[in-house]
Amino acid sequence: MTTPEAVVNVGADLLADAVADQATPVTRVDWRPPMTGTEADLATVAADPLRRTANERALVAMLGVTATLVDVAPASEVLGLQRGEFLHAGPPIAWDRASGPLRGGLMAGAALEGLVDDPEDAVALFEAGDSVSLEPCHHRSTVGPMAGVVTPSMWMFVLEDAASGRRTYCSLNEGLGKVLRYGAYGPEVLTRLRWMGDVLGPLLQKAVRATDPVDVTGILTQMLQMGDEAHNRNRAGTLMLLRDLSPAMVTSGMDSADVADGLRFIGGNDHFFLNLAMPACKLALDAARGTEGSTMVVAMARNGTDFGIQTAGTGDEWFTGPAQLADGLFLGSYGPDDANPDIGDSAITETAGIGGFAMATAPAIVRLVGGSVPDALATTRRMHEITLGENPRWTVPVLEFQGTPTGIDVSKVCRTGILPQINTGMAGRLAGVGQVGAGLVTPPAEIFPQALARLAGLARERQDRL
């Protein structure tokens, strides 16, 4: 029997290891069967004549967007939010299914708006439901980190794509720890929010209106070269924003003590730029919405109970499953039993190809979310297997400036079984606790076959009309 000169091994490494032990060269092919039950839908979508060109158009549309910061204003003005209307992160949900951190954020929001004097009294308000309403941020061209609660008086960043005139929005970042977005509602939370409404928002509005539009997409390009990944590490991005706005803040005419407080708050909050990265990513992804036949994911969002995705080819329909618990590092004495399942719209960053998809640009992130530097590099490489292309503006220096993996493809996720990697903060499962840690998480696997089935159904309907 002739000894083979080389062996190709597909799938499990057991055979490959045995052959390699006999000094025979082995080429290992990382292959796995598709997700169970998706075979027919994968075949239908693969044969859809629209798919290839639709995905190309969706990706080009997304990559063609440049997001600029053009204004800062209250949600009542830019979103038309009325008294008693609340936005939240993730897919739609009612109070009776809301998670602890989402409830805590809503309770804080109700007190902020003067609907109740004590946040604890808001429970009855939301249980009755006749004077309040809940709606996803995404339904108002908005994104919100963690609980994502937006109320009429909150000040919002306003981003615009000059080429199309489309706009997206996000609230101002409060910092870490005991903050509304992590479900805290104590006196210190409300004091900070009121200061942000009375001082920080007006100060930023004057500064933004007095300067040229801030190129948020350009800052994202630079910060990825400087050790940020734009989800859980935004230090360079925050400082570049401060560089662009601080001269106009100083000359705004506002009280010098207020200006100093504003500069100190932004400079001491490394996460401040996150709330610009998120709407920049949404602005880009929304350009791909409504692309018939496209299998590209345009939103991943969590409300602490459900994890939902939307695709370019299925309109505003949500495909949902249970939010998962992150695996990571905890603050102080907190542990896994204290953490709520994944929450927030901030996975829009991963949807756009940064955050967890760009962990190779930010090896220091592993000290916050767990894992190792080789893990971070491997994650970025792995995400290329489930995406449609690369972003030439957002590159990874350590990978020879390869573009970040961009355009999550539902069919590739179902075919490979590889799930998108998200790095995230962890909120306490009980309302009022705040942040308990940070870690890594993936979506529930079942939502991708759901989306694939809908895309296959639409492909069959188009074929039947021919």
Side-chain angles (χ1 to χ4, degrees), residues 32-38 297 300 306-309 319-325 408-420 422 441-453:
R32 67 194 74 189
M35 289 183 175
T36 303
T38 62
V297 176
M300 295 195 296
D306 304 317
F307 191 121
I309 62 171
F319 306 96
T320 63
Q324 307 293 294
L325 283 167
I408 300 169
D409 184 351
V410 166
S411 63
K412 288 188 176 184
V413 173
C414 291
R415 194 177 71 230
T416 65
I418 298 172
L419 296 172
I422 299 163
V441 72
T442 58
E446 62 264 36
I447 62 180
F448 293 94
Q450 286 179 34
L452 181 71

Side-chain angles (χ1 to χ4, degrees), residues 85-101:
E85 293 182 335
F86 294 80
L87 303 185
H88 64 80
I93 195 167
W95 173 263
D96 63 332
R97 295 186 63 246
S99 62

Side-chain angles (χ1 to χ4, degrees), residues 41 62 87 105 169 175 180 242 267 272 274 311 389 393 434:
D41 289 334
M62 176 199 165
L87 303 185
Y169 312 88
L180 175 147
L242 198 59
F272 196 77
L274 170 64
T311 78
R393 286 195 282 195

